[in-house]
C-alpha cells in the first residue's frame, strides 16, 4: 500500500460545544487490525468519559498521542491504513506529473464526512481554487514593491541592487523617519521631531508610544537613560517563567486542571457570580423516615433495589415541588423571562474519581417510588464507573447534594448552572430531641436549600424547605399530599 491509503481519524465533536478531550486509554496499538465500529480508545471530555469507535476497516499505522494527553477537537489522533478504496484513486496522482504539491492530496482526502460520536458530520466542499499566477518579471515585482512602499510612507524599504529604481528611492526618504500619518500628526501636535525618536515598531516604524516616550524623556532628562534601558530587561523577561518550576516537589504536588474538574470549576464560578444565592436551613427529626426505610427494604416491591434515606428525601423534594411549582424554574437572561418547568429532571450530585458530576433523572416527577429507586441506583453506579453520558448531565431542573455521607452536618451549596434551587442533606445523627414533651434520642438531620433570589423569593424558598422537612418528619404526608 501507499501513503494514499492511510486515513487519519480525528478527535470527534460530541455535539456539546466542547473543544477538547483527554485520551484516557488506548485499546489498540500500531499493527493491530481494526474493523468499522470497533472501539479504539476512551476519552474524557469536560462532562463524561466516552468510548470512540473507528469508522472504517484497516490496520493501525500510528497513535499520534499517548494516554493522558489533552487533544483539541478536530486533531488527528490515530492513523489507519485502509485496504483498497482510497489507494486506486490516489495511485493516479503520480501519473499526473504534478511536482511536490500533488502528494499533499492525502491531506485533502477527508473530503469525506468527518466522524462524530453518532453518525457523520456534513461533507466538506470539494471546490478548489486555481493557483495564483506568479509574476514572471522580478524587476516588475521590485518596482511595484517600491511604489507601494512610497504610498505607505515607507520609502526606505530595502531594494535589490539589480533594480534600477532602488538607488533613487533611498536617496530622499532615507533620512525621513518611518511613521504612519496619525503618528506624524501626533508628533507635530506635541512638538516632537521624529528624527530624534527611537522607533520600536516593526521595520523601524515609529509608534504612538515612541512619541509619548520622547515627550516624557524631554520633560525629565534624568530619566532618559532608564527609559531606554527596558529594552534589555524585556529581552531577558522570557527567562523568568522558568521560576515556577523550581517548587519543592517533595513538599508540593501540582495537578493540571482539566476534564471534569476544569468544567466544574468554570460552572461553579459562573453560577456563584451570576445568580444571587440565598441559603436557608432547617433541622428536622427524621426518625419516622428512617423506620420507613427499614420497612421498605423488606417490601417485595423493592426486591433487588437499593433503598436508603436519599430515596425518601428525593421523593419529599418532588412532593414539595408539586406543591410549590414556581421553584422549578430557570432565569433566561437573554429573553428576560422566568421559565417555569412543568417537569422535574432531578439532579444528584455525585463525587467520582474524576471530580464532581451532576447527572439527573429525567421526568422524576412521574416515577413511582420503586421506579425512582431503580433510577437512583442506576445513576449512582454509572457515575462511579465513569460511564455517565453527556446527555444524562443536561437539562436538570433541581439538584440534591448529600454531604451527609461525609459526616458533615450541612453546607451552603452552589446552584447548578441553569437551575434555581439545590438541596443539601446533612448527616443523620442520633441526638437529644424534645419528642412529645420529653427529651429523647432521635434521628436528626439538617437540610439546607440554596436558591436563586432573582426568581425565588424568601417566602417561596421557605415553603419548599418547610414542606421537605414536614414530609421527612411525617412520611405519611407522601400519601396525604400526593
Amino acid at each position: 500500500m501507499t501513503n494514499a491509503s492511510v486515513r487519519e481519524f480525528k478527535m470527534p465533536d460530541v455535539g456539546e460545544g466542547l473543544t477538547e478531550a483527554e485520551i484516557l486509554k488506548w485499546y489498540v496499538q500500531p499493527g493491530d487490525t481494526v474493523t468499522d465500529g470497533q472501539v479504539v480508545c476512551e476519552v474524557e471530555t469536560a462532562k463524561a468519559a466516552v468510548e470512540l469507535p473507528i469508522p472504517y476497516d484497516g490496520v493501525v499505522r500510528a497513535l499520534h498521542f499517548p494516554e493522558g494527553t489533552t487533544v483539541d477537537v478536530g486533531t488527528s489522533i490515530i492513523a489507519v491504513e485502509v485496504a483498497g478504496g482510497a489507494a486506486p484513486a490516489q495511485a493516479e496522482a503520480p501519473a499526473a506529473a504534478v511536482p511536490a504539491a500533488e502528494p499533499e492530496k492525502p491531506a485533502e482526502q477527508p473530503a469525506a464526512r468527518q466522524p462524530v460520536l453518532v453518525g457523520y458530520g456534513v461533507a466538506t466542499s470539494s471546490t478548489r481554487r486555481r493557483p495564483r499566477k506568479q509574476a514572471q518579471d522580478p524587476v516588475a515585482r521590485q518596482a511595484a514593491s517600491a511604489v507601494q512602499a512610497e504610498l505607505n510612507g515607507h520609502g526606505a524599504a530595502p531594494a535589490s541592487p539589480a533594480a534600477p529604481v532602488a538607488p533613487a528611492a533611498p536617496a530622499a526618504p532615507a533620512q525621513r523617519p518611518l511613521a504612519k500619518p496619525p503618528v506624524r500628526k501626533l508628533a507635530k501636535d506635541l512638538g516632537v521631531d521624529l528624527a530624534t525618536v527611537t522607533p520600536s515598531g516593526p521595520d523601524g516604524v515609529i509608534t504612538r508610544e515612541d512619541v509619548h516616550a520622547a515627550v516624557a524623556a524631554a520633560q525629565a532628562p534624568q530619566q532618559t537613560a532608564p527609559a531606554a534601558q527596558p529594552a534589555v530587561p524585556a529581552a531577558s523577561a522570557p527567562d523568568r517563567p522558568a521560576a515556577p518550576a523550581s517548587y519543592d516537589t517533595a513538599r508540593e504536588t501540582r495537578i493540571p486542571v482539566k476534564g471534569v474538574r476544569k468544567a466544574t470549576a468554570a460552572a461553579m464560578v459562573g453560577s456563584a457570580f451570576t445568580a444571587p444565592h440565598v441559603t436557608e436551613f432547617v433541622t428536622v427529626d427524621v426518625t419516622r423516615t428512617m423506620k420507613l426505610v427499614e420497612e421498605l427494604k423488606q417490601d417485595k416491591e423493592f426486591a433487588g433495589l437499593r433503598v436508603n434515606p436519599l430515596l425518601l428525601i428525593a421523593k419529599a423534594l418532588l412532593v414539595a415541588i408539586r406543591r410549590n411549582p414556581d421553584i422549578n424554574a430557570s432565569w433566561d437572561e437573554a429573553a428576560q423571562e422566568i421559565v417555569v418547568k412543568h417537569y422535574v429532571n432531578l439532579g444528584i450530585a455525585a463525587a467520582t474519581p474524576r471530580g464532581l458530576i451532576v447527572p439527573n433523572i429525567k421526568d422524576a416527577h412521574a416515577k413511582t417510588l420503586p421506579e425512582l429507586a431503580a433510577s437512583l441506583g442506576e445513576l449512582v453506579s454509572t457515575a462511579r464507573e465513569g460511564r455517565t453520558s453527556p446527555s444524562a448531565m443536561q437539562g436538570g431542573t433541581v439538584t440534591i447534594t448529600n454531604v451527609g455521607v461525609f459526616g458533615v452536618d450541612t453546607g451552603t451549596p452552589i446552584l447548578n448552572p441553569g437551575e434555581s434551587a439545590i438541596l443539601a442533606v446533612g448527616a443523620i445523627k442520633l441526638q437529644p430531641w424534645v419528642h412529645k414533651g420529653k427529651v429523647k434520642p432521635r434521628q436528626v438531620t439538617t437540610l439546607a436549600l440554596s436558591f436563586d433570589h432573582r426568581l425565588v423569593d424568601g417566602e417561596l424558598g421557605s415553603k419548599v424547605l418547610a414542606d421537605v422537612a414536614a414530609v421527612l418528619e411525617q412520611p405519611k404526608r407522601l400519601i396525604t399530599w400526593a
Side-chain angles (χ1 to χ4, degrees):
M1 290 188 179
T2 65
N3 288 337
S5 62
V6 175
R7 301 189 64 177
E8 299 286 345
F9 178 63
K10 299 180 179 180
M11 179 69 73
D13 180 4
V14 297
E16 304 295 334
L18 304 176
T19 59
E20 62 184 19
E22 178 186 353
I23 299 175
L24 295 180
K25 183 177 181 180
W26 283 108
Y27 295 121
V28 296
Q29 295 297 326
D32 290 353
T33 300
V34 293
T35 58
D36 186 358
Q38 178 180 339
V39 173
V40 294
C41 69
E42 181 182 18
V43 301
E44 181 186 38
T45 68
K47 296 186 176 181
V50 180
E51 293 182 334
L52 299 184
I54 199 78
Y56 31 75
D57 301 336
V59 177
V60 177
R61 190 72 170 270
L63 306 180
H64 297 320
F65 298 95
E67 295 176 355
T69 304
T70 299
V71 182
D72 291 337
V73 169
T75 303
S76 296
I77 59 175
I78 180 174
V80 176
E81 188 173 3
V82 297
Q90 297 299 328
E92 299 175 2
V98 178
E102 200 61 18
E104 294 294 331
K105 276 191 176 181
E108 298 179 3
Q109 186 65 21
R113 294 174 295 171
Q114 297 296 327
V116 293
L117 287 182
V118 180
Y120 291 82
V122 180
T124 56
S125 172
S126 59
T127 305
R128 297 181 181 178
R129 293 183 178 181
R130 291 179 298 175
R132 293 185 177 181
K133 295 182 179 179
Q134 299 292 334
Q136 300 299 323
D137 187 357
V139 176
R141 290 200 304 270
Q142 182 63 37
S145 178
V147 171
Q148 185 62 46
E150 190 66 31
L151 290 175
N152 292 341
H154 297 179
S160 171
V165 294
Q175 298 178 356
R176 183 186 185 192
L178 303 181
K180 295 181 179 180
V183 178
R184 293 184 183 279
K185 183 178 185 303
L186 174 65
K188 182 179 179 181
D189 294 341
L190 297 178
V192 176
D193 183 0
L194 290 179
T196 64
V197 179
T198 302
S200 63
D203 299 326
V205 177
I206 297 174
T207 65
R208 299 177 65 92
E209 290 73 16
D210 297 334
V211 175
H212 288 299
V215 173
Q219 294 175 348
Q222 68 277 12
Q223 297 180 0
T224 303
Q229 296 296 328
V232 176
S236 61
D239 296 333
R240 293 182 180 177
S246 63
Y247 69 93
D248 188 349
T249 56
R251 295 167 61 86
E252 297 179 6
T253 299
R254 292 176 177 260
I255 304 173
V257 179
K258 56 185 178 180
V260 174
R261 173 61 60 192
K262 183 177 181 179
T264 300
M268 292 298 97
V269 170
S271 176
F273 291 97
T274 299
H277 285 56
V278 173
T279 305
E280 294 185 340
F281 307 89
V282 64
T283 302
V284 58
D285 177 3
V286 295
T287 304
R288 292 186 178 91
T289 292
M290 297 304 292
K291 290 180 179 179
L292 179 57
V293 168
E294 295 303 319
E295 292 175 4
L296 292 178
K297 289 180 179 180
Q298 308 302 321
D299 194 316
K300 63 179 182 180
E301 295 294 331
F302 292 87
L305 299 177
R306 184 177 181 181
V307 179
N308 55 23
L310 180 61
L311 172 62
L312 294 184
I313 293 170
K315 193 64 177 178
L317 179 58
L318 292 172
V319 170
I321 292 173
R322 183 185 299 117
R323 288 167 54 84
N324 305 275
D326 289 345
I327 192 74
N328 190 45
S330 63
W331 181 273
D332 189 335
E333 182 66 29
Q336 286 295 292
E337 295 176 339
I338 295 174
V339 183
V340 179
K341 313 293 177 63
H342 303 298
Y343 58 91
V344 181
N345 289 345
L346 181 62
I348 304 295
T352 71
R354 298 190 181 101
L356 175 69
I357 62 174
V358 188
N360 59 76
I361 300 172
K362 309 298 183 185
D363 294 324
H365 66 287
K367 295 183 180 293
T368 63
L369 199 58
E371 291 172 342
L372 188 61
S375 297
L376 273 173
E378 182 181 0
L379 179 148
V380 172
S381 61
T382 302
R384 288 176 177 172
E385 294 171 2
R387 302 295 178 184
T388 303
S389 66
S391 61
M393 292 183 282
Q394 288 186 317
T397 62
V398 66
T399 295
I400 295 176
T401 176
N402 185 9
V403 297
V405 296
F406 306 109
V408 176
D409 290 335
T410 188
T412 55
I414 296 178
L415 294 170
N416 202 31
E419 300 178 11
S420 64
I422 178 171
L423 177 70
V425 182
I428 300 175
K429 299 179 179 179
L430 196 63
Q431 297 182 14
W433 192 264
V434 177
H435 178 67
K436 295 182 179 180
K438 296 181 180 180
V439 177
K440 297 181 179 180
R442 304 286 288 181
Q443 300 274 21
V444 177
T445 189
T446 300
L447 307 175
L449 183 72
S450 291
F451 51 86
D452 186 343
H453 215 345
R454 292 176 299 179
L455 64 158
V456 179
D457 296 331
E459 179 185 9
L460 176 59
S462 299
K463 285 182 176 180
V464 171
L465 185 58
D467 281 355
V468 174
V471 171
L472 295 179
E473 186 175 14
Q474 295 284 351
K476 65 182 181 181
R477 290 192 172 100
L478 288 173
I479 300 174
T480 59
W481 287 357

